[in-house]
Amino acid sequence: MPNTEPMTQRVELATLRDRLAVDEVITDYAVAVDDGDWSLYRSLFTPDGRADYRSAGGIEGDAGSIAVWLAESLQLFSMRQHLIVNRRVRFGTLEQDTGDTARVQADYVNPMRFAADGEGSAAPDFVCGGRYAFGLLRTDDGWRLREVVVQEKWRRLPERTAPAVID
């Protein structure tokens, strides 16, 4: 009986490397949005890659038009911090090659501070949360996003209190 242990170890190592590479793309996505690095954002997508932010009051479209929309709409916020957690990665097949695609389901919490509040306040003014569905494709340049769908589940604006009036 042939020893299949080295082959199994190679497959497990390749899967681990793919999981780390996919995780890096998801992390780069969050950093690009938070830092307003729209060149990086666009580079994370396949040429036909799309994103759908409609559940969060946004738009759906190709990565280039989404980057323009995000750059404009996120100017409202001086601080953004996407925390993407509970990442569930599943690899799929494309054209009979195992591991060419990946689906990632991940929850997010996104605190942001309005730019009008200035830099003095550290507390976020706006917090939302939900779930991302990422679709990735292995390309010659590595893993790239083919699809991003945001499913916002909740949002909160802290109550503002009126300044005290001194008589």
Side-chain angles (χ1 to χ4, degrees), residues 2-68:
N3 182 358
T4 60
E5 189 172 317
M7 176 62 132
T8 301
Q9 289 174 346
R10 283 195 300 269
V11 169
E12 289 173 357
L13 179 58
T15 300
L16 179 60
R17 290 179 62 182
D18 283 336
R19 287 184 70 87
L20 290 170
V22 164
D23 189 68
E24 184 175 359
V25 171
I26 303 305
T27 298
D28 285 347
Y29 167 87
V31 170
V33 173
D34 291 342
D35 292 351
D37 187 342
W38 307 119
S39 177
L40 172 60
Y41 180 90
R42 285 187 292 276
S43 76
L44 296 171
F45 284 82
T46 61
D48 63 343
R50 301 185 68 76
D52 184 347
Y53 291 86
R54 291 178 292 183
S55 79
I59 65 170
E60 185 273 336
D62 64 82
S65 62
I66 294 294
V68 170

Side-chain angles (χ1 to χ4, degrees), residues 11-135:
V11 169
E12 289 173 357
L13 179 58
T15 300
L16 179 60
R17 290 179 62 182
D18 283 336
R19 287 184 70 87
L20 290 170
V22 164
D23 189 68
E24 184 175 359
V25 171
I26 303 305
T27 298
D28 285 347
Y29 167 87
V31 170
V33 173
D34 291 342
D35 292 351
D37 187 342
W38 307 119
S39 177
L40 172 60
Y41 180 90
R42 285 187 292 276
S43 76
L44 296 171
F45 284 82
T46 61
D48 63 343
R50 301 185 68 76
D52 184 347
Y53 291 86
R54 291 178 292 183
S55 79
I59 65 170
E60 185 273 336
D62 64 82
S65 62
I66 294 294
V68 170
W69 172 77
L70 284 170
E72 183 178 304
S73 62
L74 292 179
Q75 286 180 7
L76 292 171
F77 303 100
S78 62
M79 182 276 295
R80 302 182 292 270
Q81 185 177 33
H82 285 74
L83 307 172
I84 301 178
V85 299
N86 301 333
R87 300 173 194 208
R88 178 180 288 162
V89 179
R90 300 290 183 259
F91 291 102
T93 60
L94 179 68
E95 298 175 7
Q96 310 306 315
D97 266 334
T98 303
D100 286 336
T101 64
R103 302 286 309 162
V104 179
Q105 174 183 295
D107 296 325
Y108 71 89
V109 175
N110 183 13
M112 296 183 280
R113 181 176 52 239
F114 288 113
D117 285 352
E119 298 302 318
S121 170
D125 299 299
F126 178 88
V127 182
C128 61
R131 180 164 287 161
Y132 279 109
F134 295 100

